Amino acid sequence: MNRIMNKTVSVTGAGSIVGRAAARDLMNSLIKVLIKFGILTEDLDYHLIRAAMVIIFFFFGYQKWFAYEVERLIPYISNGPLIFWLYPAFGMRGATLFLGVSEWTFGTLLFLGFWNKKPGVLGALGSSVTFILTVTIIPFMPDGWDAAAGGFPAMTGNVPFLMKDVVLFAASVYLLKQDVTRVSSPAKQKRESSEVVLSH
């Protein structure tokens, strides 16, 4: 019996060692491929996040020009503790247009941030405020947690849509930090400008 147990242990041990080595080799190969594809390119993540935010602001701003979005925004604006005032101030259509203009403004500033970090700072600041305003709606959204599933944290209704804004807020803060760092470091900004000129 002891012989059988010893053989089983040795086979299992050898198999796990071989399995770990294979997994390590596979991971190393994957890392090499990602490096070849430029995943370590300086500022790749920074530029991708900026581009993603510009695209998001373009599409979300574009929606606001149409009547269907006026109706869709009612539960969000009505229950937003920091944006409920938009309806008394601008009316339903005006509030939606105000949001659309704001989103296109912040998106444009973020886009300009590809070349000039100062408008990028303003765009990222506006973006951060935007998503603070929308994330604060979550606790006040009626029927946001499914009672049949035990309530919180079982999201339902409009809450899942708002949850994406937690990530968008984090992306906005990341861009804000990066742009402020670049504006406050003139030597780095000068080097970046010369690189842009040389690339043209």
Side-chain angles (χ1 to χ4, degrees):
M1 183 71 173
N2 283 342
R3 282 183 193 170
I4 293 171
M5 288 298 289
N6 288 341
K7 283 182 181 176
T8 304
V9 169
S10 66
V11 168
T12 304
S16 64
I17 290 169
V18 170
R20 276 184 278 176
R24 187 175 56 248
D25 291 344
L26 181 63
M27 183 55 71
N28 288 339
S29 297
L30 177 62
I31 289 168
K32 286 177 186 173
V33 168
L34 290 171
I35 290 169
K36 269 189 174 178
F37 278 113
I39 197 74
L40 293 182
T41 303
E42 188 177 354
D43 286 341
L44 175 66
D45 51 342
Y46 171 60
H47 295 309
L48 284 175
I49 289 173
R50 180 179 300 283
M53 295 301 289
V54 169
I55 291 166
I56 284 168
F57 275 118
F58 171 76
F59 281 103
F60 276 96
Y62 182 75
Q63 284 182 292
K64 305 300 188 293
W65 300 102
F66 299 97
Y68 78 93
E69 188 68 2
V70 175
E71 295 297 320
R72 188 169 291 164
L73 286 178
I74 291 171
Y76 299 100
I77 295 175
S78 300
N79 294 293
L82 302 177
I83 60 170
F84 70 92
W85 57 271
L86 288 173
Y87 282 156
F90 301 112
M92 289 176 64
R93 181 75 175 138
T96 307
L97 291 174
F98 174 82
L99 293 175
V101 169
S102 300
E103 288 168 347
W104 273 5
T105 301
F106 301 144
T108 301
L109 291 168
L110 287 170
F111 181 69
L112 293 174
F114 277 112
W115 297 277
N116 184 337
K117 301 309 171 201
K118 288 180 181 176
V121 168
L122 294 174
L125 189 60
S127 181
S128 298
V129 170
T130 296
F131 296 113
I132 287 171
L133 296 176
T134 56
V135 166
T136 57
I137 300 170
I138 294 172
F140 300 95
M141 184 60 72
D143 304 317
W145 312 104
D146 196 304
F152 178 86
M155 301 180 298
T156 189
N158 295 317
V159 170
F161 175 77
L162 288 169
M163 278 295 181
K164 74 178 180 343
D165 292 355
V166 175
V167 177
L168 295 174
F169 171 68
S172 302
V173 170
Y174 171 80
L175 288 176
L176 182 60
K177 179 190 171 200
Q178 294 296 321
D179 287 348
V180 167
T181 301
R182 284 162 169 78
V183 168
S184 64
S185 174
K188 184 167 185 178
Q189 192 176 15
K190 189 175 179 183
R191 191 180 76 235
E192 284 179 354
S193 299
S194 63
E195 285 171 2
V196 170
V197 170
L198 290 172
S199 67
H200 293 303

